[in-house]
């Protein structure tokens, strides 16, 4: 797992210098047709990913194959570090908007991009807000962001789970999972909850097959967010 995550960082800093033809030719995506069909439909597309493999490379691959997109970046400190990360990702062809501190709320901007037929790429396995959805993830409660499902529900955009992994030392693999559709019954909240659970289920399939390539170094499961539990000396963390 540590080797895999270090590979991610080594590749990230090489991406701006990497030959685009090489970058594309070494990527194989299972069921890529689902992505291309969603682009041709023209009603907006949300690619929701866990922190797996190299998501920055996947973004560069996507823009290099003719699909520009918008993404969201967590605001880092100091501000100069955040600015450099934004500039780096914009150099790969992405539009980057800040999670906090922007001129407009990010949800409004993302919804506008989708209604104009654009694409979004959103990391969706860790909640950074106070509006996360509780899901069952590998048999325990975890909290994941509601944004991807809410945007798909509110705009009619296609919501596609995407997972990434390293098949060997020179290649990248990805999978476009079956589209998550809005359930026909229930209120908005219950529909978004059900759609977020479907995302979690899709992520779990590939994480179970390639756990070393899941670069989640923050707490995701609810039990691990319980400060009273973690302060109990009887609990080993």
């Amino acid at each position: 797992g540590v080797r895999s995550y270090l590979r991610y960082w080594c590749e990230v800093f090489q991406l701006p210098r990497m030959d685009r033809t090489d970058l594309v030719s070494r990527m194989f995506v299972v069921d890529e047709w689902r992505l291309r069909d969603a682009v041709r439909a023209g009603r907006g597309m949300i690619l929701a990913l866990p922190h797996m493999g190299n998501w920055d490379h996947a973004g560069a691959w996507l823009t290099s194959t003719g699909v520009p997109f918008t993404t969201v970046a967590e605001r880092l400190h100091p501000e100069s570090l955040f600015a450099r990360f934004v500039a780096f990702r914009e150099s790969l062809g992405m539009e980057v908007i800040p999670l906090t501190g922007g001129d407009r709320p990010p949800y409004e901007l993302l919804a506008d991009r989708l209604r104009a037929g654009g694409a979004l790429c959103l990391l969706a396995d860790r909640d950074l807000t106070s509006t996360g959805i509780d899901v069952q993830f590998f048999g325990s409660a975890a909290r994941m962001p509601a944004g991807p499902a809410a945007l798909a529900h509110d705009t009619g955009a296609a919501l596609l789970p995407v997972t990434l992994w390293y098949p060997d030392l020179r290649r990248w693999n990805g999978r476009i999972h079956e589209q998550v559709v809005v359930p026909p019954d229930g209120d908005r909240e219950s529909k978004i909850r059900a759609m977020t659970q479907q995302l979690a289920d899709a992520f779990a399939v590939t994480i179970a097959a390639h756990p070393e390539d899941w670069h989640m170094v923050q707490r995701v499961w609810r039990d691990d967010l319980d400060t009273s539990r973690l302060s109990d000396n009887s609990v080993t963390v």
Side-chain angles (χ1 to χ4, degrees):
V2 171
R3 284 195 298 268
S4 178
Y5 196 25
L6 287 175
R7 173 177 170 174
Y8 162 79
W9 283 110
C10 288
E11 288 178 346
V12 159
F13 294 120
Q14 295 176 42
L15 279 174
R17 301 191 304 272
M18 193 174 292
D19 179 77
R20 288 302 177 101
T21 301
D22 188 47
L23 183 152
V24 171
S25 65
R26 289 161 54 195
M27 178 76 165
F28 175 72
V29 179
V30 179
D31 292 329
E32 183 182 341
W33 62 268
R34 289 179 171 140
L35 183 157
R36 304 302 170 185
D37 281 357
V39 171
R40 283 191 291 269
R43 59 187 181 91
M45 175 181 70
I46 305 162
L47 302 178
L49 306 87
H51 289 75
M52 283 196 78
N54 190 330
W55 51 95
D56 284 298
H57 164 267
W61 169 83
L62 190 61
T63 59
S64 297
T65 58
V67 184
F69 68 89
T70 303
T71 190
V72 176
E74 180 181 2
R75 188 173 288 279
L76 304 174
H77 297 286
E79 185 68 20
S80 59
L81 177 63
F82 174 72
R84 292 183 72 175
F85 263 105
V86 169
F88 156 70
R89 289 186 168 121
E90 288 179 340
S91 75
L92 300 176
M94 314 175 193
E95 179 191 23
V96 182
I97 63 174
L99 179 64
T100 56
D103 295 333
R104 292 175 60 195
Y107 191 90
E108 291 182 6
L109 284 170
L110 296 175
D112 285 349
R113 299 297 185 269
L114 292 172
R115 291 189 178 106
L120 308 180
C121 287
L122 302 175
L123 291 165
D125 56 345
R126 180 168 67 99
D127 180 45
L128 295 174
T129 70
S130 59
T131 59
I133 299 289
D134 284 350
V135 296
Q136 283 297 305
F137 195 50
F138 290 101
S140 295
R143 180 163 288 179
M144 294 188 178
L151 285 162
H153 177 280
D154 294 349
T155 67
L159 175 57
L160 297 172
V162 178
T163 49
L164 307 166
W165 68 95
Y166 294 127
D168 56 40
L169 293 177
R170 281 196 49 80
R171 295 180 299 156
W172 303 274
N173 275 12
R175 179 182 177 187
I176 311 299
H177 296 256
E178 185 176 355
Q179 181 179 334
V180 174
V181 299
V182 179
D185 301 317
D187 58 14
R188 180 179 183 272
E189 181 180 353
S190 66
K191 291 178 180 179
I192 291 171
R193 188 175 303 278
M195 294 167 72
T196 304
Q197 181 64 61
Q198 289 183 58
L199 286 178
D201 293 343
F203 295 164
V205 170
T206 307
I207 291 171
H210 305 279
E212 69 280 5
D213 292 330
W214 186 38
H215 308 311
M216 178 48 64
V217 293
Q218 291 87 14
R219 296 184 175 103
V220 172
W221 281 275
R222 289 296 302 274
D223 284 348
D224 295 333
L225 299 171
D226 184 348
T227 55
S228 63
R229 173 181 175 274
L230 296 179
S231 65
D232 186 343
N233 291 331
S234 67
V235 177
T236 301
V237 179

